[in-house]
Amino acid sequence: MALLKVKFDQKKRVKLAQGLWLMNWLSVLAGIVIFSLGLFLKIELRKRSDVMNNSESHFVPNSLIGMGVLSCVFNSLAGKICYDALDPSKYAKWKPWLKSYLVVCVLFNIVLFLVALCCFLMRGSLESTLAQGLKNGMKYYRDTDTPGRCFMKKTIDLLQIEFKCCGNNGFRDWFEIQWISNRYLDFSSKEVKDRIKSNVDGRYLVDGVPFSCCNPNSPRPCIQYQLTNNSAHYSYDHQTEELNLWVRGCRAALLGYYGSLMNSMGAVTLLVWLFEVSITIGLRYLHTALEGVSNPEDLECESEGWLLEKSVSETWKAFLESLKKLGKSNQVEAEGADAGQAPEAG
């Protein structure tokens, strides 16, 4: 028994074809939107590629770009099919291919749904790549004279100013690395010598941060050095004086920014997916309704359209049986090939 059977006369078939034609061209526009979102996300990720550890984060924007292109192609073709469905002579050339096209549309919808899910699930991989990338970027902050790294200071400073953040997890991350280049250290100074000797790795570590960590909303001039020494500054307590610097780490700031972007893109992609599913269902009804026309010369006759020719359980059983037959035929072919090679070997 057919699933969700609907009766169609000529007027309903024409309205269905016209409605699907319009929906397909709207989906072409939706495909352009998805392509644009993927391109925008890719550009935004490339802007901060210096503080990202790998290229895995580009999987989602690349997928959105690809699905946007495929959406434009498939829906343009579907719009042409729906337009030709109004003319029996033109529809005849599409008839042998329409069933295969519907299978491709189903696969496309499945992939589009998975891409939408990836937009929501990408946060975990992005967090790990940002954590390692920011750590490396801070480590190379002082290498202003090293080719290939001389830009890192500017990159980190602009990042901290734009996103109002400091360090990887917080401003205290700067205490653990030497972010001042040896070029600007006076090695004849006793203070510098003592600091370097007191460190096992021979690094010049200070309880200070770069200028880009300063919060301009602070009521007092920015304090960058000796942040943990209360006696070095008048009326200062480093445990309560948090307005002087940006408290939030850059990893959390970037995660919040990219997370909101990808959540919005995931929601848009899900809406497009629902629209695509409705188009695929409509194409299936149009296909079966036109197939059910008993007399092609009598355009006014009624026909029946359905979603599945059999029930869900029967369709699933038929699908499993076809897979078994396919597996057996492949096995027989393999055995035949082995049997043919055996006499040759003898």
Side-chain angles (χ1 to χ4, degrees), residues 124-282:
S125 62
L126 187 62
E127 184 173 7
S128 59
T129 189
L130 278 173
Q132 190 60 39
L134 284 167
K135 186 177 180 181
N136 293 335
M138 292 171 62
K139 186 170 64 175
Y140 302 141
Y141 181 90
R142 63 173 178 163
D143 296 340
T144 53
D145 299 325
T146 306
R149 298 177 186 170
C150 56
F151 60 89
M152 191 57 73
K153 178 183 180 299
K154 180 181 177 182
T155 300
I156 296 293
D157 283 334
L158 290 177
L159 178 71
Q160 293 188 146
I161 292 171
E162 180 181 356
F163 287 91
K164 300 179 180 180
C165 59
C166 185
N168 191 346
N169 299 307
F171 66 88
R172 286 182 174 82
D173 293 337
W174 289 107
F175 300 174
E176 302 171 3
I177 62 171
Q178 180 181 340
W179 56 272
I180 301 175
S181 175
N182 290 337
R183 179 181 178 182
Y184 305 107
L185 293 177
D186 181 11
F187 286 94
S188 62
S189 170
K190 184 178 183 301
E191 181 188 354
V192 174
K193 289 180 180 179
D194 291 343
R195 280 190 178 276
I196 293 175
K197 287 179 181 179
S198 64
N199 185 265
V200 177
D201 299 326
R203 296 178 297 169
Y204 182 75
L205 303 182
V206 294
D207 54 344
V209 296
F211 78 97
S212 53
C213 284
C214 293
N215 183 355
N217 298 319
S218 174
R220 70 184 299 165
C222 184
I223 297 176
Q224 293 178 244
Y225 299 100
Q226 295 184 336
L227 292 172
T228 57
N229 186 1
N230 293 336
S231 61
H233 311 284
Y234 176 73
S235 183
Y236 175 78
D237 184 359
H238 75 276
Q239 293 184 349
T240 59
E241 188 76 18
E242 294 184 343
L243 285 175
N244 192 58
L245 304 173
W246 299 121
V247 179
R248 185 171 61 159
C250 289
R251 179 173 60 170
L254 286 171
L255 271 177
Y257 174 70
Y258 286 119
S260 62
L261 271 182
M262 288 183 292
N263 287 340
S264 301
M265 292 179 183
V268 171
T269 307
L270 277 180
L271 290 175
V272 174
W273 171 75
L274 290 173
F275 199 61
E276 293 284 354
V277 168
S278 63
I279 289 175
T280 304
I281 293 172

Side-chain angles (χ1 to χ4, degrees), residues 20-63:
L20 287 172
W21 176 85
L22 179 61
M23 290 175 70
N24 275 293
W25 286 110
L26 289 175
S27 284
V28 171
L29 296 178
I32 295 173
V33 170
I34 290 178
F35 176 85
S36 303
L37 290 175
L39 190 62
F40 174 74
L41 181 59
K42 191 174 184 68
I43 292 172
E44 286 296 303
L45 288 171
R46 280 193 177 278
K47 283 181 182 178
R48 279 93 195 181
S49 59
D50 297 327
V51 293
M52 292 185 180
N53 192 38
N54 53 47
S55 59
E56 290 179 6
S57 54
H58 289 272
F59 172 76
V60 169
N62 291 339
S63 300

Side-chain angles (χ1 to χ4, degrees), residues 6-10 13 16 81 85-88 90-102 282-299 301-309:
V6 179
K7 285 190 176 183
F8 290 90
D9 55 16
Q10 173 64 7
R13 287 194 295 268
L16 179 60
I81 293 172
L86 300 174
D87 187 347
K90 291 182 179 179
Y91 176 73
K93 66 180 179 182
W94 298 107
K95 193 173 180 180
W97 307 100
L98 196 53
K99 197 169 185 179
S100 302
Y101 176 77
L102 285 170
L283 280 173
R284 176 59 175 168
Y285 273 113
L286 181 64
H287 169 235
T288 52
L290 292 173
E291 289 285 326
V293 176
S294 56
N295 185 9
E297 296 180 358
D298 183 13
L299 299 178
C301 66
E302 287 190 350
S303 62
E304 290 183 344
W306 57 81
L307 196 58
L308 294 174
E309 191 173 358

